Amino acid sequence: MLDRFHRHLVSHGVTIANFDSQHIDAFWRKAEALSYAPGTRTRYLQLLDRLCRYLVEIGVRNSNPAADLAGDAGWSGQSTVPLFLPEDVDLRLQDFVRTYRGSDVSGLRLRAVVALFLGAGVTAAEGRAATVHDLQFSCDAPYLRVAEGRGKPARTVPLEPFAVSALAAWKARREMLPIAGSLLFALRASGKPVTDMSLGNLVRDAFAEIGHEAPDMSPRILRNTYCRRALLAGVPRERVSQLLGLASNHTCDRILATIRKGSQQSIQPPN
């Protein structure tokens, strides 16, 4: 999230040390931000409020332009309820990923993108940075190797069974495409990483294919669904946090709270 906002600041010629509330307002008007759910906006304001308060404390900034905006959003210090897919929609997306028998590039890429987020629980930034070498299928338990970055240690994430065939098919096809570099998902020819907007558009395309609409149709909701599926299956929250690359159990605790209020039905867990 901070990376997206920082790129926005750079495009406006300002830094985290001197941006103001007008730059936050301009961020909401960007094409990508127009689709953000209220909870996503609240998380952004929480992040910016904490960041600016810290920068004021250490003398980098003189004011916190996010303070009033966070207050207007009704932030009371409590986290918003995390968004995730209903279990039946999760299963429909799994089936959408697993049953494709076509060979066109767009179809293979679409299902591989969904498989990566829904079947490995990575962040959008980690998906953009993944390489073909990070996917390993030569063992009994195929896995994704996630590189260290953004304060997260390197980790190995076993792929959910439904995601294996789609990712293996895409890896084989990707290695044949005339694209520079080794990024798993890259812009044609240049080899540069795909944008967050492009990944979000692909996820929305997948939702359209199965006829479902959600308040948040981004890689985040697929990651949260992966997390909730594992917790429903009885995987310890410490292990789930490790698979997600999280330093604390806060996210898992928030999603566990939704399970205690709802269904206890189990879905296939990650290994």
Side-chain angles (χ1 to χ4, degrees):
M1 293 174 71
L2 183 58
D3 181 61
R4 292 192 191 99
F5 188 73
H6 182 257
R7 292 199 301 269
H8 166 70
L9 295 182
V10 171
S11 71
H12 283 74
V14 295
T15 71
I16 60 172
N18 59 18
F19 76 89
D20 58 31
S21 59
Q22 293 182 350
H23 296 110
I24 300 176
D25 290 337
F27 181 70
W28 301 138
R29 294 193 294 271
K30 293 173 68 72
E32 179 183 4
L34 290 174
S35 65
Y36 288 167
T40 300
R41 291 193 176 212
T42 300
R43 287 193 292 271
Y44 264 107
L45 291 174
Q46 290 175 352
L47 171 65
L48 296 178
D49 184 39
R50 289 194 297 266
L51 171 65
C52 291
R53 279 191 286 118
Y54 173 72
L55 294 177
V56 169
E57 289 174 3
I58 64 175
V60 173
R61 292 190 61 100
N62 295 320
S63 64
N64 176 2
D68 291 339
L69 295 173
D72 291 342
W75 179 37
S76 61
Q78 301 298 320
S79 297
T80 55
V81 176
L83 296 175
F84 54 86
L85 297 176
E87 293 165 48
D88 64 312
V89 178
D90 179 19
L91 291 172
R92 284 161 55 195
L93 267 185
Q94 291 182 32
D95 190 59
F96 170 74
V97 165
R98 181 177 50 239
T99 59
Y100 185 64
R101 296 294 180 266
S103 60
D104 68 285
V105 171
S106 60
L108 291 171
R109 179 180 56 201
L110 173 60
R111 285 156 179 82
V113 165
V114 176
L116 190 70
F117 295 119
L118 193 64
V122 298
T123 66
E126 289 167 344
R128 293 175 68 237
T131 71
V132 293
H133 310 299
D134 292 329
L135 280 173
Q136 295 295 323
F137 301 100
S138 59
C139 53
D140 292 336
Y143 64 87
L144 171 73
R145 183 65 176 170
V146 182
E148 177 182 2
R150 300 191 179 189
K152 297 180 181 180
R155 66 190 190 278
T156 298
V157 183
L159 298 175
E160 289 270 33
F162 74 82
V164 173
S165 60
L167 286 168
W170 172 250
K171 177 179 179 178
R173 187 59 174 270
R174 168 65 182 87
E175 290 175 331
M176 298 171 58
L177 296 175
I179 300 177
S182 60
L183 288 175
L184 188 60
F185 303 111
L187 298 176
R188 290 291 184 91
S190 69
K192 293 181 179 179
V194 296
T195 64
D196 290 331
M197 183 180 296
S198 294
L199 290 177
N201 288 338
L202 287 169
V203 173
R204 283 190 285 274
D205 287 345
F207 280 121
E209 288 284 345
I210 67 169
H212 179 76
E213 291 188 7
D216 178 359
M217 293 188 287
S218 71
R220 174 187 290 275
I221 198 170
L222 301 187
R223 174 173 160 89
N224 284 350
T225 301
Y226 168 90
C227 174
R228 193 171 190 269
R229 185 191 316 123
L231 293 170
L232 277 167
V235 180
R237 64 174 188 159
E238 292 80 9
R239 173 58 175 160
V240 179
S241 294
Q242 181 185 45
L243 290 169
L244 294 172
L246 300 174
S248 75
N249 295 321
H250 178 63
T251 295
C252 287
D253 287 342
R254 292 172 61 213
I255 293 180
L256 270 172
T258 70
I259 294 174
R260 296 189 184 105
K261 295 178 181 178
S263 172
Q264 295 293 326
Q265 180 181 350
S266 176
I267 301 179
Q268 179 70 31
N271 296 324

